[in-house]
Amino acid sequence: MNRFSYVRPDAVAAAVRERASDPGARFIAGGTNLLDLMKYDVEAPSRLIDITRLPLRDIQELDGGLRIGALVPNSDLAYDRRIEERYPLLASAILAGASPQLRNMATTGGNLLQRTRCVYFYDTATPCNKRTPGSGCSAIGGINRQHAILGASEHCIATNPSDMGVALAALRASVRVAGPDGERTIPFSEFHRLPGDEPQRDNNLAADELILSVDLPAEHFAINYTYLKLRERLSYAFALVSVAAALRLEDGKIAEARLALGGVAHKPWRDEAAEELLRGQPAERASFEQAAGQILSGARGFGENDFKIELARRAVVRALEQAAAGTPQSQSDKRVQ
Amino acid sequence: MQATETDPRPGNGTGEPGPIPVVLTINGTERRLEVEPWTTLLDLLRERLDLTGSKKGCDHGQCGACTVLVDDRRVNACLTLAVMLDGASVTTVEGLAQDGQLHPVQDAFVEHDAFQCGYCTPGQICSAVGLLKEGRARSDDEIRELMSGNLCRCGAYVNIVAAVRQVMDGTGAGR
Ligand SMILES: Cc1cc2nc3c(=O)[nH]c(=O)nc-3n(C[C@H](O)[C@H](O)[C@H](O)COP(=O)(O)OP(=O)(O)OC[C@H]3O[C@@H](n4cnc5c(N)ncnc54)[C@H](O)[C@@H]3O)c2cc1C
Ligand code: SF4
Ligand code: FES
Ligand code: FES
């Protein structure tokens, strides 16, 4: 790890000021991603701004929804009564990720900003456009089993590794941030970016902006939902493909559908056309296959990850079946029913 | 050590790299230390405080060998900066026994032979203590899932689950 200075502001304004005054500075919350990257010299901040003492640790009621402070640990969020009862999809997705120790440390804001697990991004001896813009992409034609099948570019085919983010995309959350010029709110679908020709930018947060909270709307899909995560081993591994599915059913028909995929793109992947296709349809396999076809219509593989297209298609159908039946995937009994 | 809005720089007050005073309660004893900001809790414990029970397996959050309890919650010490814990209470495997009596989880690991080489064991034991405090596991599937942050290269998993279950059920020897 490089040498750096350390400051610990206790007010949001002071934290934002520290960040704005030093482009080499980084906020640190749980530290589980930033310190990992610093140990590989992928990140080498001049200064760490410890934000863990900022007053952003509460979960508050918000017009029928909930406002989750950026510093709420992932485990506290997953086990919060209100989240368990009203947003079980979110609880389930969080519990599908990382390990209990890491979830105790990881924060709501940090989870959204975790960087890709592309092996070349971590390996400073190899070209990588995300780490060193213009150096090339080693994953195209290289090791790319974990990589994107949707929304990739010729400059980067990395995936966003977050599980929590997939549920937040399906739930249509928003992200409230503070910068030197005040606060703004970013819809979740516009928070993360596709790589395009600027793969070094994962999201649309400005460098000197701080995440204050993630806000959940009132509609919570507490009955017909599932988070289905498929990976190389049963636990403590990133998703090859994951699906967050949520339905509101009326008389056996789908009144409202939400569908988001993880492990397949540079951002949690939502397709409004697929959700639209499901609306008004009977909650049965034929409808689900149509939606799967739609959400994967632009999919393309890069060799090692070709299998993910078919895997994702089947996972979408299975997840929608689980959601329709009201039998969400268990995150401890890993049999996929 | 109180940071204020006008002077957010704790410790040496300059925001320059250098040692920073922290107060940590480690296994029940308050310690006043000066630590460089880049020192992880794991390195502080092992290299400076001679508490070598917590192990460094991967140093990247991938194995759980460094698991300790911070304010009674299990965390990976390798991904924790010591300066960030100012004021916290840390319990390592060395601090679990009380008055010469092993912690029930330690007893259960011995009784069930829940290890082979022992390298992962301090982390497994601290993790199990954290799991029991959380009170979320009921079935063996749930124990397995909630112990999945601790890898065991010797594959002692079956006996680890049995040891955790014994303490969870409050049943003693001979079960
Ligand atoms: C071995 C391992 C396995 C894992 N497995 C999974 C998994 O299966 N699924 C999964 O989803 N995740 C997984 N994770 C990732 C984990 O969820 C993230 O590391 C964690 O959520 C990051 O949160 P943090 O608070 O620790 O972030 P930090 O490391 O503190 O910060 C990450 C980034 O966010 C910035 N930041 C933090 N908070 C804010 C804020 N409020 N405003 C602005 N910027 C901020 C920091 O500057 C930094 O750039 C795994 C991690 C490890 C090490
Ligand atoms: S996929 Fe993206 S992160 Fe991976 S090597 Fe290519 S540019 Fe780098
Ligand atoms: S040494 Fe900390 S998790 Fe492996
Ligand atoms: S007992 Fe050897 S690694 Fe677990």
Side-chain angles (χ1 to χ4, degrees), chain B residues 115-121 124 151-154 156:
Chain B
F115 40 76
Q116 196 180 97
C117 77
Y119 195 82
C120 72
T121 311
Q124 299 277 4
L151 304 192
C152 174
R153 279 308 180 225
C154 299

Side-chain angles (χ1 to χ4, degrees), chain B residues 29-167:
Chain B
T29 307
E30 188 179 286
R31 308 287 300 254
R32 288 171 183 278
L33 302 158
E34 298 246 319
V35 295
E36 309 279 6
W38 45 87
T39 309
T40 62
L41 174 60
L42 183 60
D43 286 342
L44 176 70
L45 293 169
R46 291 182 53 84
E47 308 298 332
R48 275 189 57 194
L49 303 178
D50 274 337
L51 292 168
T52 53
S54 310
K55 298 291 184 269
K56 187 181 281 192
C58 66
D59 214 18
H60 289 280
Q62 298 175 359
C63 76
C66 64
T67 304
V68 300
L69 300 159
V70 171
D71 294 332
D72 281 346
R73 289 159 71 98
R74 47 180 166 159
V75 300
N76 303 93
C78 69
L79 290 184
T80 303
L81 290 180
V83 279
M84 292 177 66
L85 295 185
D86 191 23
S89 171
V90 178
T91 306
T92 69
V93 71
E94 289 94 339
L96 290 176
Q98 295 292 323
D99 307 323
Q101 287 288 311
L102 289 183
H103 187 283
V105 173
Q106 292 174 304
D107 270 332
F109 268 63
V110 173
E111 193 179 321
H112 286 274
D113 215 7
F115 40 76
Q116 196 180 97
C117 77
Y119 195 82
C120 72
T121 311
Q124 299 277 4
I125 288 175
C126 287
S127 190
V129 172
L131 173 151
L132 292 162
K133 281 190 208 289
E134 289 157 15
R136 290 279 161 176
R138 286 166 301 274
S139 65
D140 283 359
D141 273 341
E142 286 166 336
I143 296 175
R144 274 189 280 273
E145 173 60 22
L146 294 176
M147 287 297 290
S148 68
N150 295 82
L151 304 192
C152 174
R153 279 308 180 225
C154 299
Y157 296 113
V158 173
N159 294 356
I160 292 170
V161 173
V164 176
R165 166 150 293 284
Q166 172 176 311
V167 184

Side-chain angles (χ1 to χ4, degrees), chain A residues 5 10 36 39 84 101 236 334, chain B residues 3 15 60-61 78 145 148 150:
Chain A
S5 62
D10 61 6
D36 191 17
K39 289 181 183 197
E84 283 181 330
Q101 290 94 316
Y236 204 7
K334 300 299 172 75
Chain B
H60 289 280
C78 69
E145 173 60 22
S148 68
N150 295 82

Side-chain angles (χ1 to χ4, degrees), chain A residues 62-132:
Chain A
L62 180 78
D63 306 328
L66 289 175
R67 168 160 287 172
I68 305 160
L71 292 171
V72 175
N74 288 179
S75 49
D76 292 19
L77 183 56
Y79 293 135
D80 184 90
R81 252 269 148 68
R82 292 160 291 178
I83 298 291
E84 283 181 330
E85 285 171 6
R86 287 155 58 182
Y87 304 94
L89 171 60
L90 178 58
S92 186
I94 294 170
L95 294 177
S99 69
Q101 290 94 316
L102 289 162
R103 294 193 296 263
N104 278 343
M105 306 161 74
T107 63
T108 304
N111 192 308
L112 299 188
L113 297 175
Q114 62 174 300
R115 311 222 52 197
T116 185
R117 307 302 288 201
C118 171
V119 290
Y120 303 107
F121 178 69
Y122 268 81
D123 180 354
T124 55
T126 59
C128 166
N129 286 327
K130 186 181 279 298
R131 178 170 31 72
T132 312

